[in-house]
Amino acid sequence: MQPRVRISYTITSPDGSNRHKFGVNSLAVARNPPALTPWAGPVSLFTAGRDAKIRRWDVSGVDAALAASAGAPNAARRNPRPPACVATYEDHADWVNDAVVVPAHNMLVSASSDHTLKLWPLDAQGTVAPKATVATHTDYVKALAHAPQAGLIASASLDKMVHVFKVDTLKRLASGGVGRGGAAPAWSGTDGAGAGEPVVAAGHYDSIYSVAINSTGTLLASGSVEPDIRLWDPRTGRKAGKLEGHGDVVRALLLDPDARLLVSASSDRTVKLWDIGQQRCIRTWQPHSDAPWALGVDADWRVVYSGGRDGTVVATSLKTWRSALVCAGQPPIVKLAVPAGGRALWTATTESDVRCWPLDRVAPALQSAGHPSLVREDVGRPRSASKVLGGSPLADPALALPVPGGGTGTVDRRTSATTVSTESGSADGMVTRARAASKAAGGDGDEAGPRALEGKAMAQIDGELAIQAHAVLADKWRILTRDTSGQVVLWDVLRAKALRAFEKGRTLEDVAKELSEERAVPTWFTVDTKSGDLTICLEDRVAFSAILYAHDVHLTENGVSPDATINLGFNMLANILEPWVRRQEERRAGDGDARPRGLKGIPIVKLEADPENVLVSFTEAGGRTLVRTTVAKAASIPEHKVPHWVSDALLNNRFVTREKAKVAFYVKPAADKSLPALADGSSRLEAMRILRVQQVAKYVAENLPTKLEPPPGAEGSPAGGWETVIEIVCNDRVLPPLMDLYTARALVWRNSAEDMVLYYRKAGADGKGRENGGGEARANGKRLLSYKRAE
């Protein structure tokens, strides 16, 4: 049985902007080999975002400015050459949560909330397709870690598992290449790739959010909601220990190259330093007023950087234990990257901008007495519950750590702290001590808190406005959206274009109320805006449910009758796959196939967006992408990739919908008896659900036992003008002539268990006026109204 496949199309920015929408979840900095520098520059920054894309930036200008500023700190703060986007990696169907660069194998590995890892070539520019997809996880993949010397990649997921892959295995999988118009080869871990399954580390009881591995691949650490940190042997997946001490989700982990020290950040607002050999917490500090979400460290493991939900970055020295506020005033920080050399820090936040901060002022600040220690005094605290499972081959009982004022301190085996007393502190205490330091230095001590070393980023990669809310209008072919600036825009989903941008300050709710109308149309699509763009999704069960008149969708082309019917889902599929249909029809003609053409003679609302800017995707129910292309390139989609329900509709004009095409109802004279019963008595009728009330009035006039005098000047009226003579009543309400039967049943009758009952009477019989209107109610010449006697 063919799995259910969803067809979607995305209306992308017409300016082809290469900027992220929404937040950026991951950062990775890499130096490029000489072969790539002509287009990628000497240094690349990779950013992975919530818009399901990864972008590669040439940040050589920033790197050059930092190199030139050696010995002249202010030089780095001059405007460097702006970063330029040189490649975009597109294929994920949901947030990209992490990415790691494997330069030795010309590979970029990404992890996504679509449950997959994807492998990308590093030597490609422009829009890049993946070489392969790894689908071994069953839930969001949240984090990756790379052991370059061991050739291992570890992935952590909300499915409570850590998978460890050999890079050689992934490279063999990626060598399978990508088929034109289709998805990359997919590997579930047991098929393909010509190698064994990944090593699985299983033992967490809850979702895993962070993972770290040392460079030689001898130890792996993972943090979860539990909130214990678990240690593993990545070569076998066996447990190597458990570190207990955090009180909330472990958000980030850093493991030093020798697997001797581990730094962890948790939603309990603390950062902890652990001795892996002793499997004990050595230091705890609270550098932020809210949860720290990101960690970074310099190459020498002398300074740890933490980024918090409070929008600050704090540097903490592992030698002096002093802390310095690097920058503040940002949105919540989700990722940090410290390139080799430690001259700068890149930050990614919940918003779409990425910033670079020079670090030349950090080292002097961490030596200054004016910067307090945030390390909590842990002496006398109860012993940590950290456990040693079967001992650890990495244990080093003589491990010595630097302490304030010089010298070293040793681990007290009875507690989880060093035997050196330090100034107790937290991010809130840091404010008090900063004021005291300011007063001692001659200031007034009234500063609101510690002053950040950097007030402005030296470089910034701007993001793009993203759609964050939407409202589908009642006609089901227009949608209102609101972007991150508050701008409200009206879209035509049939033509894939923006119709109108409303005045600044207008809310989505106000505009939706202004454009509201009393109408019911079956739902034929769903809307997805999680990538920041407007995506319309069609599924076989509802795609062909909505039918409107050409007049309703403003289709006024020559030769198209205003009363012609338009199936909205069929129309959209015909638009986005028109090149593919044309190629199939040409093939049929060449083969002498005389079967009917699916689009022949059917009125279509034409796509008005640039075909290059409308992205088409075929996605399985589990989230796996089968096809990702544009309308302009849709002809290259392999026939076997197109779902049967789509090809049968477009090529053979056959499709099924759950919505009934007709509405059953009774027509009876009103209680005032201003008009007699119909000639055939009380009749039960069936009509196309889009039939308008004015056509029912016409039917009544034509079937009365005594003919009424035609209304004056009604010769050109769509329904003979009878709606001015006869009014139709449902639930004591006079129905507008242009209301269709589906709307009347859904919004006025409101009883799906029984057939609707309509009453007719002379217009104005109740002494009140009524609405009028026109519009023919026929569908391509088909009879829309038939009746049979009621049983």
Side-chain angles (χ1 to χ4, degrees):
M1 181 179 177
Q2 189 181 34
R4 288 192 179 276
V5 176
R6 184 180 72 172
I7 311 296
S8 62
Y9 63 97
T10 302
I11 308 170
T12 59
S13 304
D15 60 358
S17 173
N18 286 320
R19 295 180 292 170
H20 279 293
K21 297 181 178 181
F22 292 132
V24 175
N25 291 333
S26 181
L27 301 170
V29 181
R31 289 206 163 268
N32 297 318
L36 303 186
T37 54
W39 60 269
V43 182
S44 287
L45 171 70
F46 295 84
T47 58
R50 299 180 181 183
D51 56 4
K53 297 178 178 65
I54 307 163
R55 302 190 190 277
R56 182 178 193 169
W57 307 86
D58 177 0
V59 293
S60 305
V62 177
D63 192 63
L66 290 166
S69 69
N74 289 331
R77 289 160 182 79
R78 298 171 186 161
N79 294 329
R81 177 164 54 87
C85 183
V86 296
T88 301
Y89 305 83
E90 296 187 36
D91 197 59
H92 279 297
D94 209 331
W95 288 14
V96 184
N97 296 314
D98 207 354
V100 296
V101 182
V102 189
H105 294 273
N106 185 38
M107 187 188 303
L108 174 70
V109 182
S110 60
S112 169
S113 293
D114 64 11
H115 305 181
T116 70
L117 279 69
K118 290 187 184 288
L119 316 179
W120 316 81
L122 283 177
D123 56 0
Q125 56 183 307
T127 300
V128 183
K131 286 291 187 180
T133 297
V134 178
T136 57
H137 285 289
T138 59
D139 208 332
Y140 294 1
V141 188
K142 296 294 291 183
L144 296 172
H146 178 212
Q149 296 180 37
L152 299 177
I153 295 283
S155 61
S157 168
L158 299 192
D159 63 9
K160 310 173 189 177
M161 303 288 184
V162 177
H163 291 180
V164 183
F165 304 89
K166 292 182 179 179
V167 174
D168 288 339
T169 299
L170 299 181
K171 185 179 180 181
R172 283 194 293 271
L173 176 64
S175 66
V178 183
R180 285 290 175 191
W187 182 47
S188 63
T190 57
D191 55 346
E197 301 178 11
V199 173
V200 176
H204 278 288
Y205 299 112
D206 215 326
S207 302
I208 305 174
Y209 277 83
S210 54
V211 66
I213 190 170
N214 69 318
S215 58
T216 56
T218 57
L219 185 72
L220 183 145
S222 55
S224 76
V225 177
E226 294 177 21
D228 300 331
I229 301 170
R230 294 184 182 268
L231 306 178
W232 314 86
D233 184 340
R235 297 158 294 190
T236 63
R238 294 176 181 171
K239 298 176 182 178
K242 184 168 72 170
L243 307 177
E244 298 178 358
H246 279 300
D248 209 331
V249 182
V250 179
R251 292 282 185 175
L253 294 169
L254 293 173
L255 187 59
D256 81 331
D258 299 324
R260 300 174 67 195
L261 298 175
L262 175 74
V263 180
S264 59
S266 168
S267 292
D268 64 9
R269 300 190 181 186
T270 67
V271 179
K272 291 180 180 289
L273 177 68
W274 306 82
D275 167 16
I276 296 298
Q278 300 295 323
Q279 296 201 4
R280 296 174 184 274
C281 177
I282 299 168
R283 297 273 177 160
T284 298
W285 64 100
Q286 188 175 331
H288 302 277
S289 61
D290 208 331
W293 282 356
L295 291 173
V297 67
D298 63 2
D300 298 327
W301 267 72
R302 293 180 179 275
V303 179
V304 170
Y305 299 90
S306 56
R309 189 180 177 187
D310 59 1
T312 66
V313 175
V314 175
T316 301
S317 171
L318 297 185
K319 181 178 181 181
T320 67
W321 298 110
R322 293 191 176 100
S323 295
L325 182 63
V326 179
C327 56
Q330 298 184 86
I333 294 170
V334 296
K335 201 72 172 184
L336 302 176
V338 184
R343 292 193 297 257
L345 173 79
W346 289 92
T347 60
T349 71
T350 54
E351 294 187 358
S352 52
D353 300 335
V354 176
R355 298 177 177 88
C356 181
W357 309 85
L359 297 179
D360 50 283
R361 291 172 176 164
V362 170
L366 294 179
Q367 297 296 326
S368 169
H371 290 272
S373 168
L374 299 182
V375 179
R376 181 185 303 158
E377 184 175 358
D378 287 334
V379 176
R381 292 182 65 211
R383 174 176 174 144
S384 168
S386 300
K387 299 178 181 178
V388 179
L389 304 180
S392 171
L394 303 172
D396 183 0
L399 177 67
L401 295 170
V403 297
T408 59
T410 58
V411 176
D412 185 345
R413 295 178 183 273
R414 296 167 299 176
T415 70
S416 61
T418 61
T419 57
V420 178
S421 175
T422 61
E423 183 179 1
S424 175
S426 66
D428 296 328
M430 187 177 183
V431 175
T432 302
R433 289 190 299 278
R435 287 176 178 167
S438 173
K439 186 174 288 187
D444 57 13
D446 292 334
E447 290 85 351
R451 180 174 298 174
L453 300 178
E454 302 296 334
K456 182 180 179 182
M458 68 172 291
Q460 178 167 315
I461 300 173
D462 292 327
E464 188 176 358
L465 296 176
I467 295 172
Q468 63 178 180
H470 72 275
V472 180
L473 297 186
D475 56 26
K476 297 298 195 300
W477 63 275
R478 294 182 300 164
I479 294 177
L480 286 171
T481 62
R482 184 188 69 233
D483 66 22
T484 44
S485 73
Q487 178 73 63
V488 178
V489 177
L490 178 65
W491 296 83
D492 179 339
V493 301
L494 297 177
R495 297 171 177 85
K497 71 171 187 177
L499 296 175
R500 177 185 174 188
F502 290 85
E503 302 82 6
K504 285 284 188 179
R506 296 290 303 274
T507 67
L508 183 68
E509 294 74 17
D510 287 343
V511 176
K513 185 176 181 180
E514 175 187 314
L515 298 180
S516 66
E517 58 180 327
E518 189 176 33
R519 184 161 204 173
V521 176
T523 296
W524 61 279
F525 65 87
T526 57
V527 180
D528 185 351
T529 59
K530 63 175 175 285
S531 69
D533 290 314
L534 180 61
T535 299
I536 307 300
C537 308
L538 289 79
E539 297 183 359
D540 59 341
R541 291 172 291 185
V542 297
F544 305 113
S545 298
I547 301 174
L548 293 177
Y549 292 112
H551 172 78
D552 294 331
V553 295
H554 304 166
L555 180 58
T556 58
E557 295 180 3
N558 292 334
V560 178
S561 171
D563 63 320
T565 54
I566 306 293
N567 185 296
L568 303 188
F570 180 92
N571 186 99
M572 202 62 246
L573 289 172
N575 260 329
I576 62 177
L577 296 177
E578 190 271 337
W580 180 85
V581 174
R582 188 170 60 248
R583 191 186 63 141
Q584 299 303 312
E585 291 183 344
E586 290 171 354
R587 182 185 59 79
R588 280 186 175 188
D591 294 341
D593 190 340
R595 285 181 295 175
R597 305 294 186 258
L599 304 184
K600 187 176 181 180
I602 298 177
I604 298 293
V605 181
K606 295 295 184 182
L607 200 72
E608 295 185 18
D610 184 344
E612 291 285 357
N613 291 332
V614 181
L615 182 67
V616 179
S617 300
F618 295 2
T619 310
E620 283 185 348
R624 179 187 168 205
T625 301
L626 302 176
V627 171
R628 190 179 182 90
T629 186
T630 62
V631 170
K633 300 175 182 176
S636 64
I637 300 175
E639 186 174 0
H640 71 277
K641 293 282 188 180
V642 179
H644 178 71
W645 64 273
V646 175
S647 59
D648 206 27
L650 297 181
L651 299 180
N652 304 319
N653 201 14
R654 291 198 301 255
F655 49 82
V656 179
T657 176
R658 289 188 175 184
E659 284 287 343
K660 293 182 179 179
K662 294 185 176 183
V663 173
F665 61 99
Y666 288 93
V667 174
K668 299 180 180 181
D672 64 359
K673 300 192 182 299
S674 57
L675 291 174
L678 299 181
D680 291 329
S682 177
S683 297
R684 183 179 185 273
L685 309 178
E686 285 185 344
M688 294 291 289
R689 62 173 185 253
I690 60 172
L691 187 80
R692 293 187 174 120
V693 168
Q694 62 184 8
Q695 291 297 121
V696 178
K698 179 182 179 182
Y699 173 83
V700 170
E702 292 174 347
N703 287 274
L704 289 172
T706 57
K707 301 299 180 183
L708 297 177
E709 194 70 27
E715 291 77 9
S717 177
W722 290 111
E723 68 274 10
T724 65
V725 177
I726 299 172
E727 59 188 17
I728 305 299
V729 180
C730 180
N731 275 348
D732 298 325
R733 178 186 167 186
V734 178
L735 301 181
L738 293 181
M739 179 179 284
D740 58 66
L741 295 180
Y742 186 88
T743 300
R745 181 179 179 84
L747 303 183
V748 182
W749 179 247
R750 295 183 178 181
N751 186 346
S752 60
E754 298 180 5
D755 290 343
M756 180 169 58
V757 179
L758 302 180
Y759 296 93
Y760 59 88
R761 66 190 183 194
K762 283 186 178 181
D766 61 348
K768 298 179 181 179
R770 57 166 300 158
E771 301 176 65
N772 201 351
E776 185 63 34
R778 299 174 58 207
N780 291 336
K782 296 180 180 179
R783 187 181 182 192
L784 296 185
L785 184 64
S786 60
Y787 73 95
K788 60 183 180 181
R789 297 180 65 87
E791 297 178 358

